[in-house]
Amino acid sequence: MPQPVPTFGTSVATIIGVLLTLTPARAAAPTPEDLEFFEKEVRPLMVAHCLECHSGDEPEGKLSMESLAGLLTGGLRGPALVPGKPDQSLLVTAIRHNEELKMPPKRKLPTAERAILTSWVKRGAPWTNAKAAPKPATRPKTSSGPLFSEDQKSFWAFRPLAATPPPPVKAKNWANSPIDRFILARLEAAGLPPAPPASPLAWLRRITFDVTGLPPTSGEIESFLADETAEASSRVVDRLLASPAYGERWGRHWLDVARYADSNGLDENLCYGNAFRYRDYVVGAFNTDLPYDQFVREQLAGDLMKDDGDTEARLRRIIATGFLVLGPKMLAEDDPRKMQMDIIDEQIDTIGKTFLGLTLGCARCHDHKFDPIPTADYYALAGILKSTKTMENFRVVAKWNETELADRDVIANQNRHKKKIAESKQKIEDDIRHAKQILLKASRRRAGDYLLVATGTWLKSRLLVGQKPLGGTPQAAKQPGVILREAESYDRGNAARLTTGYGKGIGVIASGSGLSTAEYDVTIKDAGNFRLEFRLAAVESRPCRILVNGGVVEPSALGRTTGSWYPDTQKWSVEVLAELTTGKNTIRIDRQGPFPHIDKFLIVPMTGDASGHLATLTALASKMANPDGLHAAVLQQWVAHLKATQANKTSALSLWHHAVSDATSVPPTTGPRLAKYAKQPLPQLAAGYASLFTAVDDLWLKQTADGKDKPLADPEHEALREVLYSTSGPYKPSKELESAFSKATKEQLAAQRKAVKSLEAAKPKLPLAMAVADGSIEDLKIHIRGSYLTLGDPAPRGFPKILAGEKQAPLSKKTSGRLQLARWMTRPENPLAPRVMANRIWRWHFGHGLVRSTDNFGAIGERPTHSGLLDWLATELIRRGWSMKSLHREILLSSTFAMSTRFHQRAAAADPENLLQWRMDRRRLSAEEVRDALLFVGGMMDRRIGGTLMTVNNRAYVTGTGHNMKTDVYENTRRSIYQPVVRSALFDVFQAFDFANPSLPNGDRVTTTIAPQALFLMNSVLVDTQSATIADRVLALGDNEASRLTTLYQSLLGRSPDTDETAQATSFLSEYRRAAVEDDKTNNDAKDEAKKVSPEIRAWRALCRVLLSSTEFVYAE
Amino acid sequence: MSNTSHCCNQFTPVTNRRDMLTSSATGFGMLALADLMSRQATAETSARQDNPLAPRQSHFTPKAKRVIFLFMHGGPSHIDTFDHKPQLDRDHGKPLPFPKPRIVSGATGNLLKSPWAFKQHGESGAWVSSVFPKIAEITDDLCFIKSMYGSNSRHGGALLELHTGSDTFIRPSMGSWINYGLGTENQNLPGYITICPSLTHGGVNNWSSAFLPAVYQGTPMGDAATPAERARFPFIGGKSKVRRRSLQRMELDLLNRINRQRFKETGPDSDLESRIASFELAFRMQSEAPQLQDISDEPKNIHKLYGLDNDATKDFGRQCLMARRFSERGVRFVQVSHSYKWDQHGGLKKSLPQNALEVDQPIHGLISDLKQRGLLEDTLVLWGGEFGRTPVAQGNDGRDHNPHALTMFLAGGGIKPGISHGATDEYGYYSVENKVHFHDLHATMLHLLGLDHTKLTYRYSGRDFRLTDIYGEIVHDIIA
């Protein structure tokens, strides 16, 4: 049964009681009041809300709340309680419900109950009959046995590479490479024959797409079919591997794994404007056959690799580390530590899957459920990445790191230049500070004058408070002393007078051009204070300046909005107080830009200054020497200070406030010096303040000249000094003071700023790469359940223990350890790096891996179908100096690769998934190949290599509610690998044809067969354009239909049509022509472009589209 | 194949090549396959399993068959709409008497009362502020959850959390999970359509299938920058040219002949057969989808009911009407977005009523229309944004993001009508009573659709994933 909940009233009283009797934390022994509080208030709460779960033999989260010791010892998340420290107590964190840990889970305790528990902790957590000392920590002990079981250690993927000789086979003539013997042996064992070799044309088309992503040209087909030498195939392989298109095709495979994209995508979709350099790096690495181990090391730690003086290599390696930066990130995350740990998590997940085929990311919150990856290993890697600078900052929106790419000399120059700019800026700052000091020093000497003038200004502004406009009342203008002016009746100015459309006789002023102005001459009978009321309409705020007799009385008036520009929303408002002299005065309104629609204004004499203080102050001020020497900026600060201190009884100005407020109360007590003036009239008080300010300033200057900056000994002096020297008072060195600088100083500053600007402009803009660098080096602790708020044991930086061993030398405190990680990863003793890559290469040649789960070699992943072959390939990769081209060559020239896709009834029944590789799998071209092939056969492909096609700036938004890039950004003829990859708005052609999700590492794209692919082929602009181009080309050949058809088939499919096909196409063309003529008769759509093209041409285009959509074109055999 | 109910282990990943090839991907793939299977008499015995979008039996009898999600992007203020806080009125201008959250998105000042008057409506006596006069008329059909909460204080994270359950990683969206769990009823239309979605704050990640097969991802129709009137499916309309039907039919006939002749070379190949079927489906789809988008066949009173006769409401009204038309034809999950307008850091007094005006009549129209057609019974309608807003002021006319409390409402589909569930504290800053996390909402939605959220799993990267991760409790109190 829940205990009765204390009412809010009693609990507040209790809390106040607690606060009053608050004893120091961890008081030696709880007082009887403490214990009564615990028993009456705290324990019932715990019983009602906590003990159901947190008690008994197996309390939730291993936290028992039955005893103080239980709370002090804590559970899985550590101690629940730090007596006296609510902010450090998990118990309090949990009941606040502001963090991830929320208790009770479903219902937040009422405010009063939370307050009770919080104050109980603050009070030192008194507990009846508590045993003072907590039990020693009973953290679940790490098991004393070995970290990993024998089963785990002997899991196939972690075993060293086995030296596996190719097995013997019966069919002696079939094998062309050791690879073939591995394949054939299994087939023979299963009693299945390998498929017969593919036809030369099918083989050439297959291998050309496979290596370059493009179809063979007619010339290439012709010369290969004519080459009857034994080296024909190997010549093709060499030619293809030497083509730059190889890097474009195979680099793209790698980009799938590296989750490459040109934008962030996750939340704030900013442009990764420099990502393309990483893409170009990858293409280059494949084309130059960069050894794979080096390729890995460069991507993980290129910035830390030894500089051998080769600038180009050094920069290339910096670019390579873009791999670590390219991931999708939550750039708008209010919790910067969470943001950082999430980014690290994404890096670990990608590194694990990409290079090791391990799902390391699973060990963030708990030990990996299936693989031998303890959480400690995760945080050992996380420490390496925490010590790495991936981000420039973790603000909202955060910035990823970019590194300038240039020769060291250029960078040194650049840095000198930057330093110079920084120094110049510093000099400007110093000069400004100095000028302000001079200005303030002089202004302090006139504190009395400022007090007078500022008080006058302030009183004037107060006159308007609560004043209702008179304008709305009838006959307002008839009242004594009131003057009405129609706005459009101005005497000088340029404002447009609008007199139509507003109703009869109504006119307003609106825009002028540039600086809008309107000036009015008014004649005043008796000088005094007047308020100006305006009637206006405005949809948007258009604040104006109001000047009287040349002086600004209000820099920002008339700025309100009324709802529309029309007469029905014309409203009156009191805008400014102006002091007008007897006789002629000039009132001016001006604004840079258009005015609000002003109809008229009233000048109303003010009667509010009953006390006459304002008059007195004005009279006093008029007698001061050099009134023009007061600075408006300082004056404004004085007014602000008066406003801020008016209710402050302890301010040095309290007596002054009392005097000008007409209060009848007893004057506030001040020091003896000011007290002398307490009952004297205002002028004497003003003079008193003035002389005291000067005296105090003298005192202070003298004291500081002696090097002492302690407060003045006398409190009254000190209070007055505060007014003169406080950084929040009237003499604060604000930015606005610059307006009071002398003309010479202003000119000098302007010149300095101009110089800095040109220095900045002269700074050469260096290219940037998304890249990492080492940051501040630190080891992490285990984050219990993945949260940085609950830390566990330290996890020193290191490598996964199942592979690297349990005893690892600690990593240096001087470096993140990335380079060591990269070196460890590519040691020949690490079996995973070569196995995973050899398997990827196989996957990209055959459409499936020997381990089909290419990115997961763990327990949940698939087992190798040919483990001997996999280890042979991995060993060969290392033995051949990690040359991928060499491995390609071996595979491409094998009989296995040369098999046809021929269907075999018995094999298909026995092994429907082709696990034994009894034939080559038929392959639908990838998204990029489909688009590239279309452009290629249309003869329109732009073969330039590298660079970026992004049309938005680096770090700018690529998508908002819609797409910020030009809609025609993809309408180019560059190869598909160069098309922008926008993470949250993928190119629709890519999306339709199974492009890999660019946010997740993926070495095994799926292939689907869906309607959007058909719609693309039927309706898209690209297919349309290519069909038109090809049709035109064929029609230009002359009018022999048979030879036209031969050319068409040759250029699209690489072969001639047979007689049936020729007949079929011929009859299609004639039927289509006839139908088109018929259709035109009923087609009344004048805008239909089809009608502008002859039925003959349309028929040929239709035939082209059909062939481009055909299975033969879209698949490789 | 029998249509037995499945449990989690039957949701095996499609990893073998045949499965991959026959599964359809992307957008409105809603493929060929179902269609193919119905016609392909000789299909392998596993054909049914091979069609990932075939309607699947739920774990238990469902109360709802489909979902319409009315998404108010930006974070509508609960305390100015449905969560009435008299104490906030009283303490206007005073400081918040308890701590603000440790993580906040911006600086805020003192308590700011709602500028709008609240009244109770209907028999249920639900509180609604004056900004929603039309929704106020139908409160007896609605169930308000006033104690919703999430954990991310920024739009991007909060949108992802609302749509996918994770504010950190790329995860499948709720619509994808539902399509994965139940398939779709109309094989000629996408099973999951999102009308005019915003490409910002995660964009496609909010309707993506992530690691689920791509066939389950949402198909966008237009985007937030496109007026609903011009929203189109990819490759149908827009720049793409749909040719004269009779001529295109000739092309398809020839293509079919050529592709079938190909079997002489290749031998039997189900991938190539499904490819032929996919062209036929595409041909039907490109004539049917535009017909559905063309609402001229709806009577005048329906146009009026959805607010199509009014400039302020016609865009969102068209989206709502489209949602009904899609739902009516068996689309499993339809999302309608009122895009990124509800972010009142300032200008609360001006913008909030304008936003409310734009959706008030259309939502009223949609729910009443579903009801009069008998569709509301098994259509679950959900209304809400990614977070609520603070009761403390930002500037003097605005409120900051507040993931600790928001109000959502549901209707139809097995929901108890005319109730209000849960509560926030006296100012509406934190949800305190019967708190409902997005995970709980997801669990409840799946439950209403007849799916057990703990059993609807997919194995990826060495782990069985769920929409609700390791969380989620069904809110039984709101279920009829």
Side-chain angles (χ1 to χ4, degrees), chain A residues 18 335 677 725 763 846 875 895 933 970 985:
Chain A
V18 172
D335 185 342
Y677 303 102
Y725 285 92
K763 189 175 82 176
F846 289 93
T875 310
S895 302
Y970 300 109

Side-chain angles (χ1 to χ4, degrees), chain A residues 822-844:
Chain A
R823 287 190 188 133
W824 165 79
M825 192 106 67
T826 51
R827 285 184 321 172
E829 300 91 88
N830 171 16
L832 275 177
R835 261 194 200 124
V836 167
M837 192 56 191
N839 187 58
R840 292 194 188 288
I841 291 173
W842 187 272
R843 158 66 182 85
W844 289 326

Side-chain angles (χ1 to χ4, degrees), chain B residues 101-359:
Chain B
R102 183 176 62 94
I103 303 291
V104 295
S105 72
T108 49
N110 292 344
L111 293 164
L112 174 71
K113 69 176 180 187
S114 175
W116 296 281
F118 278 74
K119 265 202 221 146
Q120 285 181 290
H121 295 269
E123 297 202 352
S124 58
W127 288 101
V128 182
S129 88
S130 60
V131 301
F132 279 133
K134 297 302 290 181
I135 291 177
E137 290 175 14
I138 53 166
T139 52
D140 286 347
D141 290 322
L142 310 180
C143 160
F144 293 93
I145 306 182
K146 295 193 173 163
S147 53
M148 291 293 311
Y149 71 108
S151 50
N152 196 299
S153 48
R154 288 284 171 177
H155 298 286
L159 249 78
L160 288 166
E161 192 175 30
L162 166 62
H163 286 90
T164 73
S166 168
D167 65 337
T168 311
F169 308 108
I170 310 282
R171 294 278 183 267
S173 62
M174 52 181 163
S176 296
W177 279 109
I178 290 168
N179 261 260
Y180 164 66
L182 297 176
T184 179
E185 290 177 317
N186 183 341
Q187 302 294 328
N188 290 349
L189 281 175
Y192 171 12
I193 296 176
T194 175
I195 305 172
C196 296
S198 172
L199 293 179
T200 190
H201 300 141
V204 72
N205 296 323
N206 290 305
W207 63 90
S208 89
S209 55
F211 47 72
L212 288 182
V215 63
Y216 300 115
Q217 84 189 7
T219 298
M221 196 179 114
D223 60 45
T226 316
E229 211 176 346
R230 286 198 274 119
R232 296 288 178 267
F233 291 122
F235 303 124
I236 301 180
K239 276 190 182 176
S240 307
K241 286 183 196 156
V242 177
R243 255 165 285 280
R244 304 276 292 171
R245 200 172 159 79
S246 62
L247 294 172
Q248 193 161 38
R249 185 66 253 171
M250 290 181 70
E251 291 182 30
L252 278 189
D253 288 344
L254 176 64
L255 179 64
N256 283 348
R257 272 202 301 281
I258 292 179
N259 284 343
R260 286 193 189 286
Q261 281 156 9
R262 186 99 192 122
F263 289 124
K264 274 189 251 156
E265 311 275 322
T266 64
D269 187 325
S270 63
D271 310 335
L272 300 188
E273 290 200 38
S274 60
R275 184 160 193 274
I276 292 169
S278 76
F279 276 88
E280 289 304 315
L281 173 61
F283 189 66
R284 283 200 308 281
M285 202 148 64
Q286 77 179 16
S287 62
E288 287 183 27
Q291 275 171 32
L292 264 186
Q293 291 169 325
D294 177 8
I295 54 170
S296 58
D297 58 344
E298 295 281 349
K300 230 186 180 140
N301 65 322
I302 289 289
H303 279 245
K304 203 169 149 57
L305 180 62
Y306 284 83
L308 292 173
D309 55 345
N310 181 323
D311 275 349
T313 49
K314 70 178 181 191
D315 194 72
F316 193 73
R318 178 181 285 267
Q319 292 191 44
C320 286
L321 178 52
M322 214 91 83
R324 190 215 80 206
R325 290 166 69 93
F326 288 138
S327 296
E328 213 169 22
R329 283 164 181 78
V331 176
R332 190 69 76 180
F333 192 101
V334 184
Q335 177 159 338
V336 167
S337 293
H338 190 247
S339 194
Y340 199 31
K341 291 182 172 175
W342 294 86
D343 195 20
Q344 273 72 54
H345 292 280
L348 178 72
K349 285 189 198 124
K350 195 175 143 211
S351 310
L352 188 92
Q354 177 61 28
N355 292 339
L357 170 70
E358 288 173 16
V359 303

Side-chain angles (χ1 to χ4, degrees), chain A residues 97 99 106 108 266 330 334 370 913 922 959-960 971 991 1007-1008 1010 1018-1019 1064 1079 1105 1109, chain B residues 16-17 20 24-26 102 153-154 200 239 243-244 251 261 269 275 286 430 432 435 440 462:
Chain A
H97 272 222
E99 302 285 354
K106 290 312 284 181
K108 188 174 173 180
L266 192 52
M330 276 290 174
D334 285 315
F370 307 103
E913 289 178 44
R922 181 166 294 117
T959 56
E971 290 173 21
Q991 189 148 324
T1007 305
T1008 65
I1010 53 161
M1018 285 157 64
N1019 300 333
Q1064 184 173 255
D1079 189 71
R1105 267 195 305 273
S1109 304
Chain B
N16 71 56
R17 178 174 155 81
M20 282 171 193
S24 86
T26 36
R102 183 176 62 94
S153 48
R154 288 284 171 177
T200 190
K239 276 190 182 176
R243 255 165 285 280
R244 304 276 292 171
E251 291 182 30
Q261 281 156 9
D269 187 325
R275 184 160 193 274
Q286 77 179 16
Y430 297 94
V432 289
K435 299 173 67 169
D440 305 327

Side-chain angles (χ1 to χ4, degrees), chain A residues 862-904:
Chain A
E862 310 262 339
R863 302 294 176 272
T865 53
H866 299 75
S867 55
L869 175 55
L870 180 61
D871 276 12
W872 185 85
L873 289 167
T875 310
E876 282 298 301
L877 180 62
I878 299 174
R879 194 183 65 79
R880 297 170 190 226
W882 298 86
S883 160
M884 292 190 273
K885 281 194 179 180
S886 170
L887 209 59
H888 289 312
R889 206 168 185 285
E890 188 69 43
I891 292 170
L892 293 169
L893 289 171
S894 69
S895 302
T896 305
F897 185 81
M899 279 194 269
S900 67
T901 57
R902 176 82 58 89
F903 180 78
H904 188 278

